[in-house]
Amino acid sequence: MFSIKLGFKNLARQKRRNIITALVIAFAFFAYLFLYSMMNGMEEMSFENIKNLETGDIQITYPEYWEKREELPLENLISLNQDIEKSIENIDGLLGVSPELRFTANLNNGIDELPVMGLGIDPARYQGVFVTQKYLVAGSMFSLGEYKAVIGEKLAQLMDLKIDDYITLLVRTKDDTFNTIDVEIVGLLHSPHPGVNEGIVFVPLDIAQQALNVDNSVSIIALRLARGNKKNIIQTLNENFQKKGLNLEAHSWKESAKSVIAFSTAKKSGISAILSIVLLIGMVGIVNNVILSALERTEEIGMMKALGMREMEIVLVFMVEATGIGIIGSLTGCLFGAIGVGWLVKYGFDISYAGDMSTYGIPILNKLYGVWNFSAFGLLFILGVMVALLSSIAPALWAARKDPVKSIYHR
């Protein structure tokens, strides 16, 4: 008990050095927690944008189409029929089904042309899977059969377009002939997904099918599901298709987000490396503090041994002192981290200066928001205290094993 009291009392003897050591630990912890929140926020926002604005939870296609889906081919399309519809509708937890026709097109405003992706949709079914219509900033969505279109606000600015303007989509049909789709712009979007804002023109599904000469065919059927085991649902869908002799396959949204998932994996490796550096900084600070303390108290250590204190009691004094510094530094770091993460969650971090993040495969626009992870705070605090405790043992033993006579006379 005396060793513990003495250890805590020693915290106040070298206030400046102890405070500096604690602040070094605190800063390292703050940096880790802030970066951890930011990276997790980037991952969460990317995944949500992909699912809510691009892929849905599950995509159904023919295998041949899936392999070439980035090229937006008009071959191996799905011809909608009752067998396909029933195979999908019987799935538990199904919230929405959206057939889509994706195609390459050149957007012409009468002066300039720009390559874009055309997306033929059924608006009523599309909103059951995607939240795109939520981000309409001007105008409204079209209906089937109308020669109208919705585009991103950024694309409209780039092509000097506005509501009620007419545009022409130059397309190549399934028969490899050229055709045009003349539509009126009735809505502008500003979503958190840069790809949606800058590179997609939404048109009615039936108008796109007619212009591309694909009858009742679509490229992909996107599904929205309630929370549950989507892996099992994908397996059930594939089994249903096999039973009905359909060569269709169901794919998770993750297969369309491989670049973002790869980035997330790299993030986890980076976070682990940062944590190692953080702990190393704390360890070096504690070891340095204990060694300096021992050198300054050489006489004191010798006197304590001469008065009968055992080596382990002297070691305990230094361990308590180091643990106290670890607790103060860890608590301060977690407090600063909570303030930083709270700001990041509420206000976000402006990333517009970094340019278009979609260039790096990250579908996020303008601001990056953090997320809370309270387990990270608890884990970091425990690690900080444990590292402080363990890193003090070796230098404390070195100090405690000095000969008391030599220590008293500085020999």
Side-chain angles (χ1 to χ4, degrees):
M1 183 62 71
F2 174 75
S3 298
I4 295 174
K5 288 182 179 179
L6 184 59
F8 280 117
K9 186 178 180 180
N10 286 341
L11 284 172
R13 295 180 62 179
Q14 292 292 338
K15 292 181 181 179
R16 181 178 297 177
R17 187 172 65 223
N18 290 342
I19 289 173
I20 291 173
T21 303
L23 286 177
V24 168
I25 297 171
F27 178 77
F29 279 25
F30 163 77
Y32 173 82
L33 290 168
F34 189 84
L35 184 60
Y36 188 83
S37 174
M38 181 184 293
M39 299 298 282
N40 275 356
M42 180 183 295
E43 178 184 275
E44 187 174 296
M45 289 178 66
S46 297
F47 290 169
E48 288 301 311
N49 286 345
I50 289 171
K51 287 190 292 183
N52 292 332
L53 297 165
E54 186 178 345
T55 66
D57 291 316
I58 293 175
Q59 293 179 299
I60 297 171
T61 66
Y62 282 115
E64 296 82 4
Y65 181 90
W66 184 257
E67 292 176 2
K68 299 181 179 180
R69 65 189 183 281
E70 301 294 336
E71 302 173 16
L72 306 178
L74 294 178
E75 299 174 346
N76 302 305
L77 302 182
I78 303 171
S79 182
L80 295 176
N81 55 53
Q82 289 185 349
D83 285 343
I84 295 175
E85 295 280 359
K86 288 181 179 179
S87 298
I88 298 171
E89 290 173 356
N90 294 331
I91 296 298
D92 292 333
L94 183 65
L95 299 179
V97 180
S98 176
E100 302 176 4
L101 180 58
R102 302 181 176 188
F103 57 95
T104 57
N106 284 336
L107 169 61
N108 187 298
N109 63 358
I111 301 174
D112 301 312
E113 276 191 15
L114 184 71
V116 295
M117 183 180 89
L119 187 60
I121 61 171
D122 178 343
R125 303 183 74 179
Y126 187 78
Q127 67 179 351
V129 178
F130 300 98
V131 298
T132 310
Q133 290 175 240
K134 171 184 173 183
Y135 296 102
L136 278 168
V137 294
S140 61
M141 186 57 75
F142 48 74
S143 300
L144 287 176
E146 297 181 334
Y147 283 86
K148 296 179 179 180
V150 170
I151 65 174
E153 190 176 41
K154 184 72 176 290
L155 179 59
Q157 292 173 356
L158 184 63
M159 296 296 288
D160 194 24
L161 296 168
K162 59 184 183 298
I163 297 290
D164 298 330
D165 283 350
Y166 282 85
I167 58 173
T168 298
L169 295 177
L170 306 175
V171 299
R172 189 185 292 267
T173 70
K174 184 180 179 181
D175 303 318
D176 206 26
T177 60
F178 289 99
N179 201 356
T180 61
I181 305 176
D182 298 308
V183 287
E184 177 188 2
I185 297 175
V186 294
L188 298 178
L189 292 165
H190 184 74
S191 78
H193 194 315
V196 174
N197 297 338
E198 301 170 10
I200 297 179
V201 176
F202 296 86
V203 296
L205 177 59
D206 53 350
I207 299 299
Q209 289 172 329
Q210 180 182 348
L212 297 167
N213 197 25
V214 295
D215 299 322
N216 192 37
S217 298
V218 296
S219 310
I220 287 174
I221 301 175
L223 309 182
R224 170 68 63 186
L225 303 173
R227 293 184 180 274
N229 193 333
K230 295 179 174 61
K231 186 176 181 180
N232 289 342
I233 293 174
I234 290 173
Q235 184 178 349
T236 301
L237 278 168
N238 287 332
E239 289 174 356
N240 289 346
F241 294 146
Q242 289 178 3
K243 289 177 183 177
K244 294 182 179 293
L246 301 170
N247 189 32
L248 293 170
E249 287 183 352
H251 300 271
S252 168
W253 66 272
K254 293 181 180 179
E255 296 182 57
S256 295
K258 288 183 178 179
S259 61
V260 178
I261 293 173
F263 180 84
S264 176
T265 303
K267 176 213 75 172
K268 291 175 182 176
S269 300
I271 286 291
S272 299
I274 291 170
L275 178 58
S276 300
I277 294 171
V278 166
L279 295 178
L280 180 62
I281 291 171
M283 185 181 296
V284 170
I286 293 295
V287 170
N288 179 67
N289 196 304
V290 173
I291 290 175
L292 287 176
S293 181
L295 289 173
E296 290 174 354
R297 300 177 196 164
T298 304
E299 274 189 48
E300 184 180 323
I301 293 170
M303 188 64 69
M304 286 190 292
K305 292 189 74 174
L307 292 173
M309 283 189 72
R310 291 171 294 178
E311 285 186 0
M312 289 311 300
E313 289 177 323
I314 296 173
V315 169
L316 184 58
V317 172
F318 286 101
M319 288 176 62
V320 169
E321 184 178 349
T323 303
I325 295 171
I327 291 173
I328 295 170
S330 298
L331 281 175
T332 307
C334 287
L335 176 62
F336 288 165
I339 294 171
V341 171
W343 175 84
L344 191 62
V345 169
K346 186 174 182 180
Y347 299 105
F349 183 74
D350 188 3
I351 57 173
S352 58
Y353 70 91
D356 187 355
M357 294 298 287
S358 61
T359 305
Y360 311 104
I362 305 171
I364 299 175
L365 184 68
N366 295 337
K367 276 198 171 184
L368 175 62
Y369 290 89
V371 294
W372 285 104
N373 189 331
F374 296 105
S375 61
F377 284 80
L379 177 63
L380 203 59
F381 176 79
I382 293 170
L383 283 175
V385 175
M386 291 301 296
V387 166
L389 174 63
L390 296 175
S391 61
S392 67
I393 294 175
L397 280 171
W398 168 78
R401 286 173 178 170
K402 285 190 172 186
D403 182 86
V405 176
K406 292 182 178 179
S407 297
I408 293 173
Y409 291 101
H410 293 280
R411 294 177 182 173

